[in-house]
Amino acid sequence: MGVTYKYFGAPDGATAARVPISMRPEELGGDELGMNGMFTKIKPETMAAMVLTGIEGVPLHKVPPLELVVLHPDYAVVKLPMTVVDPLRGIGEEAVGAAAFIWSTVLDRGGPRDAFNVYQLLHEWQDFSHRLHEAGHQPYCLVWP
């Protein structure tokens, strides 16, 4: 089965901590916090590294850590730094393509390897970044085992 990650936006950590955790990811509609969420098998650390190394040129060892909001035996909520989603709002196709190519060359245990898959994923994140910005929300990730 594996871990499922639900990325969502919330105005603050207290709101993010109230994400419905008694339901399985497939039962959540995506708008429980007024924000279209994203389900993926890609870890938040991987997403942070993909954006920051591929787009911003930040060395992998300088990618900032995620902030733990809630740790429970059945789930966790982490906050991603805004530096992970903000850079996506202002870039065009060429930069997304270049970042996808760069990331596709990075060895990763569980993430996408094919440049086109990474390109599609970055476009999903670009849309997510725009939705977060329009709502004035911060990026969070709900993690289920």
Side-chain angles (χ1 to χ4, degrees):
M1 175 122 167
V3 176
T4 299
Y5 303 98
K6 163 85 192 264
Y7 293 93
F8 64 95
D12 53 52
T15 305
R18 291 192 302 267
V19 172
I21 48 80
S22 60
M23 295 190 244
R24 299 305 304 161
E26 58 273 7
E27 295 170 338
L28 288 175
D31 285 328
E32 66 278 0
L33 292 172
M35 178 56 93
N36 291 326
M38 297 187 338
F39 290 114
T40 183
K41 295 291 185 183
I42 307 296
K43 298 183 290 189
E45 307 86 53
T46 301
M47 279 311 308
M50 188 182 302
V51 170
L52 294 175
T53 60
I55 294 172
E56 295 290 287
V58 174
L60 207 48
H61 69 280
K62 294 210 182 235
V63 172
L66 305 175
E67 180 183 324
L68 184 64
V69 177
V70 175
L71 179 60
H72 184 274
D74 297 327
Y75 64 94
V77 175
V78 294
K79 178 182 177 188
L80 286 80
M82 286 306 289
T83 53
V84 173
V85 291
D86 281 348
L88 291 166
R89 285 201 327 273
I91 63 171
E93 285 297 310
E94 190 173 302
V96 173
F101 175 75
I102 290 166
W103 191 257
S104 72
T105 65
V106 175
L107 296 175
D108 184 43
R109 291 181 300 253
R113 290 175 181 80
D114 178 89
F116 184 69
N117 289 341
V118 177
Y119 174 81
Q120 289 177 309
L121 181 65
L122 286 173
H123 265 295
E124 288 177 30
W125 268 80
Q126 198 170 35
D127 292 342
F128 183 56
S129 176
H130 285 290
R131 292 193 309 266
L132 285 174
H133 181 71
E134 289 165 9
H137 286 179
Q138 308 259 338
Y140 293 90
C141 183
L142 177 59
V143 181
W144 277 284

